[in-house]
Amino acid sequence: MRRKLVVGNWKMHGSRAANAELLSALLKARPFGGDVAVCVPAVFLNETAATLAGSDLRWGGQDCSAHEQGAYTGEISATMLAEAGCRYVIVGHSERRAYHREDDALVAAKAQAALARGVTPIVCVGETLAQREAGDTEAVVKRQLSVVIHQLAHCASEIVVAYEPVWAIGTGLTATPEQAQAVHHVLRAQLQAATGHGERMKILYGGSVKADNAATLFGQPDIDGGLIGGAALKAADFIAICRAAG
Ligand code: PEP
């Protein structure tokens, strides 16, 4: 039985005051039935770590460099995330792929850098609306994942995968539970064939998950929790989603 995982992706939101309120509400709402983490802007990592230390809530980054260190202005290394106590880092989010032109090879290199430092990469894959309408969903997500699997070789079973249809992120459009389950099933079969550990690996769904659709999505056999954007910013909504995974 895979334990559920719900991860909040704060994106470029938050302030010291708002974060303190949100994290304190999360701490008060524990325990949850599954694992819960928040991926916060890097500048807030240390205070998040200080607030959540000693609790069962985890934290993580939203991206990391593929490089260990060096003249890469503005970048943050996996080592730095590890030092900040991060359990997770999101890599390959569609916003990074779209606005920062990250390709599959770079995403794979970032996943490898994270794993090398003991930080679990949450590898995002997902199709655009045009790709779905062209019937290419399966091919797209399999290609995105296969590059990561190939790069990580025997460590590939250590990642978490997040299926995030691009057309569902921040749009209010959600994949139906059946649509999401169909893709998760394909991804799990791919992970199983490549690593032999697909049955124990976590595959999260992300894309306009809300308090009122979370339970049905998380009830699908291959959906192991969620990567939550907008709804992770309001304590009541995020707590309801975390409870839906319990
Ligand atoms: C995300 O940013 O990963 C995401 C799923 O966003 P939203 O929940 O707002 O669609």
Side-chain angles (χ1 to χ4, degrees):
M1 182 74 179
R2 293 180 298 271
R3 196 172 155 80
K4 294 269 197 277
L5 170 64
V6 175
V7 180
N9 172 15
W10 290 5
K11 311 194 191 206
M12 200 174 72
H13 293 289
S15 67
R16 297 186 81 171
N19 304 345
E21 209 176 299
L22 180 50
L23 293 176
S24 122
L26 284 183
L27 284 168
K28 281 199 200 106
R30 287 176 313 137
F32 299 112
D35 294 325
V36 172
V38 287
C39 288
V40 308
V43 73
F44 297 136
L45 277 172
N46 283 340
E47 66 196 56
T48 301
T51 306
L52 300 185
S55 81
D56 53 358
L57 301 179
R58 305 288 172 217
W59 56 95
Q62 299 176 3
D63 181 39
C64 71
S65 173
H67 300 284
E68 172 58 38
Q69 63 172 352
Y72 301 104
T73 302
E75 296 237 55
I76 293 168
S77 72
T79 305
M80 294 170 187
L81 294 181
E83 256 197 24
C86 291
R87 168 69 63 95
Y88 300 104
V89 60
I90 300 169
V91 296
H93 192 282
S94 62
E95 288 152 14
R96 302 278 328 165
R97 293 180 190 258
Y99 308 143
H100 300 270
R101 307 224 178 120
E102 296 194 4
D103 61 14
D104 295 334
L106 180 59
V107 172
K110 289 180 174 204
Q112 187 168 42
L115 271 186
R117 295 293 160 231
V119 179
T120 300
I122 300 174
V123 177
C124 301
V125 299
E127 82 287 3
T128 63
L129 187 56
Q131 289 166 332
R132 173 162 282 268
E133 286 175 349
D136 291 339
T137 298
E138 220 177 276
V140 168
V141 297
K142 283 175 81 173
R143 187 206 70 229
Q144 291 172 332
L145 186 56
S146 73
V147 178
V148 176
I149 289 172
H150 181 75
Q151 173 99 13
L152 299 183
H154 65 280
C155 296
S157 60
E158 302 310 314
I159 67 172
V160 169
V161 176
Y163 168 54
E164 297 211 309
V166 178
W167 49 271
I169 296 179
T171 58
L173 297 173
T174 315
T176 64
E178 295 73 24
Q179 283 174 323
Q181 165 58 26
V183 178
H184 280 233
H185 182 74
V186 165
L187 293 172
R188 192 174 306 286
Q190 184 182 7
L191 291 168
Q192 179 63 25
T195 70
H197 296 288
E199 290 305 323
R200 71 157 175 75
M201 293 177 68
K202 290 193 207 306
I203 309 176
L204 311 182
Y205 170 77
S208 299
V209 178
K210 306 283 178 229
D212 60 3
N213 60 20
T216 331
L217 284 160
F218 299 165
Q220 301 301 307
D222 288 300
I223 300 185
D224 305 315
L227 181 54
I228 317 299
L233 298 171
K234 276 203 194 143
D237 293 350
F238 190 58
I239 288 166
I241 292 169
C242 294
R243 294 209 166 115

